[in-house]
Amino acid sequence: MDHHANRQPYQYVRTTLAEPDWRRLPGWRDVTEAQWRDAQWQRAHCVKNLRQLHTVTGTLLTDRFYEELAADQAGFATMPMLLPPQMLNTVAPHAPDDPRAFTAAFLADPVRRYMLPVRADRHPRWPSHPKAERDSLHEADMWVAEGLTHRYPTKVLAELVATCPQYCGHCTRMDLVGTSTPQVAKTRLVLRPVDRQEQMLDYLKRTPAVRDVVVSGGDLANVPWPQLESFLVRLLDLGSVRDIRLASKAVVGLPQHWLQPHVLAGLGRVAALAARRSVNLAVHTHANHVQSVTPLVAEAARALLDAGVRDVRNQGVLMRGVNATPEDLLDLCFALQGEANILPYYFYLCDLIPGAEHWRTPLHQAQRLQEAIMGYLPGYATPRLVCDVPHVGKRWVHQAVAYDRERGISYWTKNYRTALELRAPAGTAPEDPLERRHPYYDPVDTLPEAGRRWWSAQSAPPGD
């Protein structure tokens, strides 16, 4: 009998969530559970620089690691360093305490790869794609008020704040979010928060076709709760708004924030009002690897659901070296769905921002991954892999209308006009945007040799 015939490509095994022991790290040996669960302690002990990382890890990381980290910050990083203890504690949770072995495990760790990039991660020839842009999705170009992006006909994105409790290296809003780095002088929100929110609400009052508002940033965990509650209540006063989605990676990176009694009480008030008005209120978070899903994350998600939100959903990013295998994606999704009450929703291809080539995956690989994860999870909890195409928006990875594999250029169409196109004076657009094919680009280093040569020629200085 052929036993191989009975084996599945992926074998589901239920795994109990576990909080890594923070006391394994020298700087946290004396930290109590009460301190660890305290949101203010977590914020006060975030790791923001090499010195603070050294304080936490002691002699566990070698000098070579710090040299690589410093070199990346000086020459490549588009985001500042900011890791709450909760997030840092999920990196290399089972590494041995010998410095060489610990450093090797730390470097290989998938959470470290996107939260704390080092120079050796970056591609030596193609750290950025020739078509990379700081605001690759042109969100600021589609602002109808400061921080309010109107891209889709019935949906808007409201950026209330330009900071987060944690900064991910691959942040799609690297142009705006966080403090400046040596590579990126950030753009800034200039209005006072109260004035920005007033302009957003005024636009929504005047635009009843918008029924869905994603309230984001940055991260809503950095908006003072009374200010956020006031905005949400006024949003709920608009009868045209039927969906509100609250975006916070902190459910994963700093779950302690969402477990604070005053935050949960306030969210309960907002959720009750939303229910009375038949508005769908949900929370969206951002986990990229199963290690990030711990009991505290599950506790926070359960508390949000108990407060009355309809769903807690996950929007991850597909990244090489982090989660770009069927096993990684399915392990993460089963932990989210089965253990943490978080619905797997989207995995985005990493956007065309500077410094992201070592994370990005080619479209054909994403297509194969979508096919590979089908049939294991419940249909409603099977995430869609999507490409956020500049000037187009989210498209399932199989929706490309043409694909040049040699040069890594896919082409996409859309069925609506963005605010940018609606504002364009008549006769200025060279073609109807609904007829146009919009390009998206695979990472150059994943292309066949002929494709790499072609891109080298395209990006060479004149006369070379």
Side-chain angles (χ1 to χ4, degrees):
M1 180 177 175
D2 183 2
H3 294 287
H4 294 280
N6 295 322
R7 292 183 187 169
Q8 299 293 351
Y10 172 83
Q11 188 66 47
Y12 166 70
V13 177
R14 185 175 181 185
T15 304
T16 304
L17 301 183
E19 207 75 46
D21 183 5
W22 58 85
R23 297 177 187 88
R24 76 189 188 283
L25 297 171
W28 294 336
R29 286 225 169 99
D30 299 322
V31 175
T32 65
E33 184 171 355
Q35 288 175 305
W36 192 261
R37 292 180 62 91
D38 183 74
Q40 293 312 114
W41 185 91
Q42 287 277 332
R43 287 184 185 269
H45 291 83
C46 283
V47 169
K48 304 175 189 173
N49 54 50
L50 277 68
R51 178 184 56 80
Q52 292 174 343
L53 180 62
H54 197 281
T55 298
V56 172
T57 59
T59 59
L60 289 173
L61 289 170
T62 63
D63 290 344
R64 181 63 180 158
F65 176 83
Y66 288 104
E67 290 166 9
E68 285 292 309
L69 181 57
D72 192 79
Q73 291 190 314
F76 296 99
T78 59
M79 297 299 291
M81 187 193 303
L82 182 63
L83 286 92
Q86 172 75 26
M87 195 89 207
L88 181 56
N89 189 42
T90 65
V91 177
H94 307 298
D97 58 10
D98 168 71
R100 289 174 67 92
F102 183 93
T103 301
F106 201 83
L107 277 167
D109 188 86
V111 177
R112 194 284 309 163
R113 277 186 62 83
Y114 79 92
M115 290 302 301
L116 200 63
V118 297
R119 177 176 56 185
D121 296 331
R122 311 280 179 177
H123 194 274
R125 171 66 180 88
W126 300 102
S128 300
H129 195 281
K131 297 289 187 178
E133 296 183 69
R134 287 170 47 145
D135 179 12
S136 70
L137 301 179
H138 306 283
E139 289 180 334
D141 294 337
M142 289 181 269
W143 281 0
V144 289
E146 184 183 77
L148 188 67
T149 298
H150 191 174
R151 173 160 53 164
Y152 302 100
T154 60
K155 302 185 282 189
V156 294
L157 166 72
E159 296 165 280
L160 297 193
V161 66
T163 62
C164 301
Q166 68 287 301
Y167 290 128
C168 311
H170 64 279
C171 181
T172 191
R173 298 200 182 111
M174 48 74 63
D175 187 52
L176 174 71
V177 170
T179 54
S180 296
T181 72
Q183 288 65 248
V184 183
K186 306 281 177 149
T187 56
R188 286 279 171 256
L189 297 171
V190 296
L191 294 176
R192 293 187 310 153
V194 64
D195 296 331
R196 186 180 318 117
Q197 292 172 25
E198 202 65 47
Q199 288 190 11
M200 290 177 176
L201 290 163
D202 179 64
Y203 178 81
L204 293 172
K205 285 175 192 169
R206 293 184 284 106
T207 318
V210 173
R211 61 171 306 286
D212 181 354
V213 181
V214 177
V215 188
S216 183
D219 193 311
L220 291 189
N222 276 14
V223 180
W225 181 261
Q227 185 189 118
L228 179 56
E229 183 171 351
S230 172
F231 180 76
L232 295 175
V233 167
R234 294 184 66 193
L235 205 52
L236 285 163
D237 284 339
L238 304 177
S240 51
V241 174
R242 312 310 304 147
D243 273 277
I244 298 174
R245 295 180 271 170
L246 310 178
S248 176
K249 176 165 183 158
V251 177
V252 171
L254 188 70
Q256 293 86 346
H257 169 81
W258 291 105
L259 285 166
Q260 294 176 102
H262 76 281
V263 172
L264 289 172
L267 189 63
R269 292 189 293 269
V270 173
L273 180 60
R276 288 198 298 273
R277 299 189 178 172
S278 298
V279 174
N280 295 303
L281 178 70
V283 172
H284 284 196
T285 192
H286 178 177
N288 290 322
H289 195 269
V290 67
Q291 284 171 206
S292 299
V293 187
T294 74
L296 271 168
V297 173
E299 186 180 339
R302 182 73 260 164
L304 293 169
L305 293 167
D306 289 345
V309 304
R310 171 177 175 156
D311 279 308
V312 181
R313 307 184 186 114
N314 187 63
Q315 297 188 154
V317 176
L318 193 63
M319 288 182 282
R320 282 191 275 174
V322 178
N323 56 20
T325 70
E327 293 75 20
D328 286 331
L329 288 180
L330 288 167
D331 285 352
L332 170 57
C333 290
F334 277 117
L336 291 167
Q337 165 70 7
E339 311 303 326
N341 287 294
I342 298 173
L343 187 71
Y345 178 38
Y346 280 146
F347 282 97
Y348 290 82
L349 270 67
C350 186
D351 287 321
L352 271 163
I353 53 168
E357 286 306 272
H358 66 290
W359 286 307
R360 295 202 312 119
T361 54
L363 177 66
H364 62 86
Q365 183 181 355
Q367 292 172 337
R368 298 294 83 77
L369 284 168
Q370 180 74 82
E371 293 158 8
I373 65 173
M374 300 301 288
Y376 288 94
L377 293 149
Y380 70 91
T382 301
R384 293 172 177 167
L385 273 56
V386 295
C387 183
D388 208 341
V389 183
H391 297 293
V392 175
K394 287 182 287 295
R395 284 292 182 265
W396 303 347
V397 291
H398 285 82
Q399 284 187 284
V401 296
Y403 188 12
D404 178 347
R405 285 278 297 272
E406 182 174 290
R407 295 177 180 181
I409 308 175
S410 50
Y411 296 91
W412 309 74
T413 57
K414 60 179 177 177
N415 58 332
Y416 48 80
R417 295 174 178 86
T418 65
L420 195 61
E421 290 147 354
L422 292 171
R423 289 200 301 263
T428 59
E431 59 183 314
D432 186 336
L434 303 192
E435 300 296 325
R436 181 182 166 194
R437 291 185 170 198
H438 299 262
Y440 191 81
Y441 306 97
D442 286 348
V444 177
D445 69 283
T446 66
L447 303 180
E449 185 180 349
R452 294 197 301 272
R453 281 201 311 267
W454 186 83
W455 278 107
S456 293
Q458 300 303 304
S459 57
D464 268 23

